Amino acid sequence: GMWLEFRRVLFRSLIAAGIKRVVIFSDYHDTLAEEFFAAAKVELVRLPMPEKTIKYDLESYTSAKKKNQ
């Protein structure tokens, strides 16, 4: 269908642009993408999904400290 053709155009565009490496955050396997990239010798790297919670320490940022401390 239309989604399949869109993906084909997207993969061809990436390959035509000279992309040599694609990095994704996913365990999802897209066989069509794997086939296109393998044929074009584009490296496909999967990284584990990062945590959904962002952790930061405001005490370590001077811009976040209250004035007159």
Side-chain angles (χ1 to χ4, degrees):
M2 191 167 60
W3 175 241
L4 180 62
E5 186 57 30
F6 170 77
R7 289 172 40 217
R8 286 185 177 140
V9 170
L10 175 65
F11 302 145
R12 287 183 187 131
S13 298
L14 290 171
I15 292 164
I19 300 295
K20 298 293 180 197
R21 182 174 184 236
V22 174
V23 179
I24 58 173
F25 291 103
S26 176
D27 291 330
Y28 174 75
H29 293 275
D30 184 337
T31 305
L32 182 63
E34 292 168 354
E35 290 174 7
F36 267 87
F37 291 144
K41 300 197 180 352
V42 173
E43 179 184 8
L44 183 59
V45 178
R46 284 189 181 82
L47 298 179
M49 289 295 292
E51 289 186 43
K52 292 182 180 182
T53 304
I54 298 172
K55 299 174 186 173
Y56 54 91
D57 177 16
L58 286 178
E59 296 296 322
S60 63
Y61 294 97
T62 57
S63 62
K65 291 183 181 179
K66 293 181 181 177
K67 293 182 180 182
N68 299 327
Q69 277 189 335

